[in-house]
Amino acid sequence: MPRSYLVQGVRTPFGRYGGALAGVRPDDLAAQIISELVRRTGVDPSALDEVVLGAANQAGEDNRNVARMATLLAGLPFEVPGHTVNRLCGSGLTAVVTACQAVESGAADLVVAGGVESMTRAPWVMAKPSRAWQFPTETHETSLGWRFVNPHMVGLDEGAATISMGETAENVAALDGITREQSDRFALQSHQRAVAARDSLAEEIVPVHVDGEVVEIDETPRSDATLEALARLRPAFRRDGIVTPGSSSSLSDGASAILIASEAALDRYGLEPAARFVGAANAGVRPSYMGLGPVASTRRLFDRLGWSVADLATVELNEAFAPQALACISRLGLDPATVNPEGGAIALGHPLGASGSRIAWALARRLASSGPGERGLATLCVGVGQGMSVAMEAC
C-alpha cells in the first residue's frame, strides 16, 4: 500500500477576535499560506493534484468553497482543483486525513491540506422569509455556536444536545471531579509553554501584512499570565462553574497548511518528509460531553493499529477548554509532559478550521527532530459530540 508523508507546514500568526488579523478576509489568509507553502517547498504548482481546506463557518467570505477561492487567489494554475471540508473544530485535521488517504489510495501524489477561519469576520445571518412581504425574525451571530437549530435536536441527549461548548466543558469537569485550581493551573501552563516556544514556532509562521503593519507572532499567548490573575476571573458559562475566559480557547483568526506527498513525489521533487501518516479514526460521543471525543477516537485508532499510550513520544491535544483537556489526558493515561509541550489553543487561539492542521504540523515537526520510528498522536474534540485522532511516525 502506498504511504503518505507530511513534508512541510506553514501557518499565519493566530490573531485574537477583533485583533491584528481582523482586517484580512479568510480567503486571503488561506491564499497567503498556500502561496508560501509552494514557495518554501519549491514544488511546481502545476504538479499539485488538489487543495483541501477545512472551514467550520462557511457563512460569509469563506463561502462557496473557500479552498478553490484561495487556490485561485494564491496564483496557482487554473487546473489545480480545490475542495472544502467541514467537521467543525476537526475540519483542518479532516483535510489532512483526506489528503493522506487520497495519496495512499493512489488518487494523488501531491496535495496541499489545511484550514482557515476568521471568527472576527463571521457575519450575522438571518432567516429568509417564507412568504412574500414577511419580515425576517430570526438572526444569529455566526462566530461560534448554534444557529437555526432543528427543533428535533433540542430533545436529544436528554435535552442537552444543543447546549454551548462551554457548558459541555462544565459537564466534563463535574463528571471527572476537576477543580477550578487544576483548570487554572493547566491554562497557566499553556501560556508559559507557548511563550517559551515562541522562537521555535517562528519558522512555521508566515508574516501577514495588514494596513502597513506586519503581524509576525501569535497574538494571544500572555507572558504576564499568573495563577492569581486567572483565579480572579468569573465563570463564563455557569454561575457555580469552573470554566472561565482564561481556561477556554479564544475566538481567533488564522490559517494553516501542510504539503502531503507520496513516496514517488518525494523522490521526484527531492522532498524531505517530516513524518509519515499512519492512520486516523473518528468517533462519536454524547454531544453534552463533547470534550471526551478524543478519548473515544484515540482508543478506536489504537485498537486498529495495535498501539498503546506507552508508544507515544509526543502528543498534540487541542485545548478547547482546560478541564476538557485534563479529562482526556487522565482518561487516556497520557504523560502530561509529552502533551502540548509548546502550548495549546488556550494560549495560541483556536481558529476553528485551522486548528486541526496546526496541531498536525506541530506534531510532525517535533517528530522530525526525534529518532526514526518515534510515534505521535494528534487529537481533538469536535462540536456536537465527536472526536478525531491521527497517528504519525517520524521518518
Side-chain angles (χ1 to χ4, degrees):
M1 177 179 176
R3 293 179 171 182
S4 57
Y5 298 86
L6 288 76
V7 175
Q8 179 63 271
V10 295
R11 66 178 177 91
T12 68
F14 284 0
R16 70 174 69 251
Y17 183 92
L21 299 182
V24 187
R25 292 173 56 112
D27 46 6
D28 285 328
L29 286 174
Q32 288 187 51
I33 60 162
I34 292 170
S35 176
E36 180 63 13
L37 183 62
V38 170
R39 187 193 71 80
R40 290 191 186 189
T41 56
V43 299
D44 180 351
S46 65
L48 293 172
D49 294 298
E50 186 80 80
V51 173
V52 189
L53 293 183
N57 198 328
Q58 302 182 46
E61 296 162 341
D62 53 0
N63 77 98
R64 300 292 184 181
N65 191 1
V66 67
R68 176 58 174 168
M69 304 306 180
T71 300
L72 296 174
L73 290 167
L76 270 59
F78 294 140
E79 291 75 18
V80 178
H83 73 274
T84 305
V85 297
N86 190 342
R87 196 191 295 271
L88 300 181
C89 303
S91 299
L93 195 56
T94 297
V96 172
V97 172
T98 298
C100 291
Q101 291 174 340
V103 167
E104 295 188 353
S105 73
D109 280 315
L110 278 177
V111 182
V112 170
V116 64
E117 208 78 51
S118 175
M119 300 177 83
T120 296
R121 299 178 72 86
W124 282 82
V125 296
M126 63 178 63
K128 188 175 182 179
S130 59
R131 61 180 186 272
W133 314 113
Q134 180 184 13
F135 289 98
T137 57
E138 188 177 358
T139 60
H140 295 276
E141 207 274 340
T142 68
S143 293
L144 185 68
W146 291 88
R147 54 262 193 186
F148 305 120
V149 177
N150 188 315
H152 297 292
M153 283 288 295
V154 178
L156 297 178
D157 193 6
E158 299 178 351
T162 60
I163 62 175
S164 72
M165 286 190 286
E167 289 177 288
T168 71
E170 291 286 6
N171 286 347
V172 170
L175 182 67
D176 282 20
I178 296 168
T179 68
R180 171 67 185 267
E181 182 179 2
Q182 289 173 316
S183 179
D184 287 348
R185 285 189 181 279
F186 184 88
L188 176 62
Q189 174 184 270
S190 184
H191 283 280
Q192 291 173 333
R193 288 179 171 182
V195 171
R198 187 164 269 164
D199 289 343
S200 63
L201 294 176
E203 185 177 343
E204 71 185 39
I205 293 180
V206 178
V208 177
H209 295 262
V210 187
D211 298 329
E213 302 290 332
V214 181
V215 184
E216 297 181 287
I217 62 173
D218 296 313
E219 199 173 6
T220 51
R222 297 185 64 105
S223 58
D224 61 347
T226 65
L227 197 59
E228 293 74 22
L230 288 167
R232 287 194 293 269
L233 297 175
R234 295 180 178 179
F237 303 100
R238 290 180 185 169
R239 182 174 298 178
D240 59 348
I242 69 166
V243 182
T244 72
S247 56
S248 307
S249 58
S250 61
L251 304 183
S252 306
D253 308 328
S256 59
I258 303 170
L259 182 67
I260 311 296
S262 66
E263 288 185 276
L266 294 178
D267 293 338
R268 186 179 307 126
Y269 301 106
L271 300 171
E272 290 292 332
R276 179 175 74 87
F277 171 79
V278 178
N282 305 295
V285 297
R286 291 176 60 177
S288 56
Y289 291 88
M290 174 272 305
L292 297 178
V295 179
S297 59
T298 299
R299 287 173 176 167
R300 179 172 292 180
L301 176 60
F302 284 9
D303 284 346
R304 290 177 183 172
L305 299 177
W307 284 22
S308 72
V309 167
D311 295 323
L312 300 174
T314 187
V315 176
E316 278 290 322
L317 167 66
N318 194 52
E319 299 169 357
F321 303 92
Q324 167 268 325
L326 284 165
C328 290
I329 291 169
S330 175
R331 285 174 176 243
L332 287 170
L334 300 173
D335 178 357
T338 68
V339 179
N340 302 349
E342 299 166 333
I346 289 173
L348 297 171
H350 184 16
L352 303 179
S355 290
S357 41
R358 179 194 72 78
I359 68 171
W361 179 246
L363 180 69
R365 175 173 46 76
R366 286 204 304 278
L367 285 172
S369 63
S370 65
E374 291 281 16
R375 293 173 171 179
L377 171 73
T379 185
L380 41 66
C381 59
V382 180
V384 204
Q386 294 188 78
M388 184 173 190
S389 300
V390 169
M392 300 182 202
E393 283 185 347
C395 294

